[in-house]
């Protein structure tokens, strides 16, 4: 059965949200004299990480926020990085701290992420922030799931009582997404199932989804037979192929079956940085008591 499919346009929505954030930043600066500031740490010279960090810096500038980039050589030790994190934790002019992953192998990501003050943890990786999400009283929400939830809300896609199937259980996307959708309240109240590489008869589970959220990192993995007629499909995957970026969902085959679907690129991707900006503003507000 063919549906009228809504393409969930993350690029357009991002522009709207960034304009809203820019207004709020201007008001905040006027009220407090403080400019929200994001400190980004980039260790080594991974080309994808450089692009991500540059995009985050540009996005900060476009909404009137400050960003400071700390570039460290690939052979930086864990102690040296911990020292920088401690300095940024103590620096009152810095409100958000972002440590671009992956880190070189001599550094434990867990140790570094745990060391970032939970008040400045705009990626929401700190155990305190993860725990608060699970308890339904979040301080920060992790940027990608936050963007997806905001997209569902803004497109007025009902989640209450719906079966949300999350495919993938990463700490960055799958697990927090599931933890958010199961909470009480707007954009949540869902019945949630999480699938992963050990799930048996995966297609029989994904076919139950009213809303299918896919984050596994396998190009075009989700095929039309895995999707229920009229489902909403959110594709988090970013796979770099010769032909360009491809999602985890076989968009051309799946879209006709869906009531709404995100494209790749231009779906979830642009929202992730947008929510980082939102989190940095929130951090500045809470650190200045506003
Ligand atoms: P990840 O850490 O790579 O984990 C992948 C997850 O998918 C794991 O839970 C794994 O199961 C599961 N999986 C892998 N193969 C599977 C299979 N054949 N069947 C069922 N489950 C399978 O994932 P991630 O960091 O969340 O990234 C996922 C994708 O999203 C990547 O393409 C990434 O680039 C993209 N991403 C995009 C954004 C954005 O802003 N749009 C943000 C973050 C990530 P196990 O746990 O059992 O191994």
């Amino acid at each position: 059965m063919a549906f009228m499919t809504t393409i969930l346009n993350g690029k357009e929505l991002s522009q709207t949200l960034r304009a809203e954030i820019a207004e709020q930043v201007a008001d905040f600066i006027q009220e407090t004299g403080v400019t929200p500031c994001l400190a980004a740490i980039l260790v080594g010279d991974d080309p994808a990480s450089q692009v991500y960090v540059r995009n985050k810096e540009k996005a900060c500038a476009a909404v009137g926020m400050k960003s400071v980039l700390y570039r460290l050589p690939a052979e930086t030790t864990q102690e040296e990085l911990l020292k920088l994190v401690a300095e940024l934790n103590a620096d009152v002019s810095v409100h958000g701290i972002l440590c671009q992953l992956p880190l070189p192998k001599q550094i434990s990501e867990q140790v570094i992420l745990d060391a970032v003050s939970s008040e400045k943890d705009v990626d929401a990786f700190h155990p305190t922030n993860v725990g608060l999400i699970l308890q339904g009283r979040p301080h920060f929400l992790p940027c990608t799931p936050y963007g997806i939830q905001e997209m569902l809300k803004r497109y007025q896609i009902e989640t209450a009582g719906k079966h949300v199937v999350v495919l993938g259980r990463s700490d960055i996307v799958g697990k927090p997404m599931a933890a958010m959708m199961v909470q009480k309240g707007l954009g949540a109240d869902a019945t949630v199932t999480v699938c992963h590489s050990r799930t048996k008869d995966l297609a029989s589970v994904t076919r139950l989804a009213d809303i299918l959220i896919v984050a596994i990192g396998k190009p075009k993995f989700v095929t039309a037979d895995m999707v229920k007629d009229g489902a909403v499909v959110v594709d988090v995957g970013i796979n770099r192929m010769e032909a360009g970026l491809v999602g985890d969902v076989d968009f051309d085959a799946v879209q006709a079956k869906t009531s709404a679907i995100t494209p790749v690129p231009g779906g979830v991707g642009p929202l992730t940085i947008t929510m980082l900006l939102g989190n940095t503003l929130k951090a500045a507000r809470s650190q200045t008591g506003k």
Side-chain angles (χ1 to χ4, degrees):
M1 193 155 93
F3 283 82
M4 281 293 291
T5 303
T6 303
I7 303 295
L8 302 169
N9 189 333
K11 204 171 164 194
E12 205 175 82
L13 177 56
S14 252
Q15 282 161 1
T16 307
L17 294 173
R18 288 186 199 196
E20 291 173 14
I21 293 169
E23 246 176 64
Q24 291 164 15
V25 168
D27 290 347
F28 177 80
I29 294 172
Q30 199 169 32
E31 195 185 340
T32 61
V34 174
T35 304
C37 174
L38 176 70
I41 305 172
L42 178 59
V43 186
D45 35 35
D46 177 63
S49 293
Q50 299 201 23
V51 173
Y52 289 143
V53 168
R54 204 174 318 125
N55 288 342
K56 288 168 188 174
E57 283 190 291
K58 271 196 227 156
C60 280
V63 296
M65 300 201 294
K66 266 195 248 175
S67 65
V68 222
L69 174 60
Y70 293 84
R71 276 175 174 278
L72 303 181
E75 53 286 356
T76 301
T77 64
Q78 185 165 295
E79 285 61 42
E80 286 166 335
L81 185 52
L82 280 173
K83 187 165 169 281
L84 174 60
V85 169
E87 282 165 17
L88 296 173
N89 282 342
D91 184 341
V92 292
S93 72
V94 167
H95 306 102
I97 301 171
L98 172 156
C99 190
Q100 186 64 47
L101 303 179
L103 292 170
K105 56 184 179 323
Q106 72 275 17
I107 301 176
S108 156
E109 292 185 351
Q110 190 82 71
V111 167
I112 300 303
L113 298 180
D114 286 0
V116 171
S117 157
S118 62
E119 287 295 315
K120 300 191 177 185
D121 170 39
V122 285
D123 273 328
F125 291 154
H126 192 282
T128 299
N129 286 320
V130 176
L132 289 172
I133 292 165
L134 208 57
Q135 291 183 343
R137 49 185 189 125
H139 185 53
F140 296 116
L141 291 169
C143 302
T144 302
Y146 187 8
I148 293 168
Q149 191 177 46
E150 193 61 28
M151 177 184 262
L152 296 173
K153 281 187 197 167
R154 298 270 179 148
Y155 274 93
Q156 297 183 336
I157 292 171
E158 182 61 82
T159 53
K162 301 292 178 184
H163 192 165
V164 172
V165 176
V166 180
L167 179 46
R169 57 173 164 182
S170 70
D171 288 341
I172 300 181
V173 186
K175 275 193 232 166
M177 187 79 248
M180 286 162 63
M181 298 311 296
V182 82
Q183 301 300 329
K184 291 186 175 171
L186 188 65
D189 276 326
T191 302
V192 180
T193 302
V194 182
C195 303
H196 45 75
S197 67
R198 306 296 297 271
T199 299
K200 287 199 179 121
D201 194 3
L202 185 63
S204 72
V205 184
T206 57
R207 271 197 299 269
L208 298 173
D210 300 310
I211 302 174
L212 177 62
I213 302 175
V214 188
I216 62 171
K218 299 251 150 75
K220 301 190 182 183
F221 180 88
V222 171
T223 45
D225 60 304
M226 296 172 76
V227 177
K228 177 165 83 175
D229 280 341
V232 173
V233 175
V234 176
D235 186 354
V236 184
I238 302 179
N239 306 290
R240 274 163 224 286
M241 315 295 282
E242 260 174 38
L245 293 187
V246 174
D248 289 346
V249 175
D250 185 357
F251 183 90
D252 292 336
V254 169
Q255 74 153 321
K257 281 188 98 177
T258 65
S259 56
I261 186 168
T262 59
V264 176
V268 175
L271 289 168
T272 298
I273 295 187
T274 303
M275 304 331 267
L276 177 72
L277 301 173
N279 279 349
T280 305
L281 176 59
K282 181 178 171 122
R285 280 200 173 119
S286 92
Q287 285 159 52
T288 52
K290 299 284 172 188

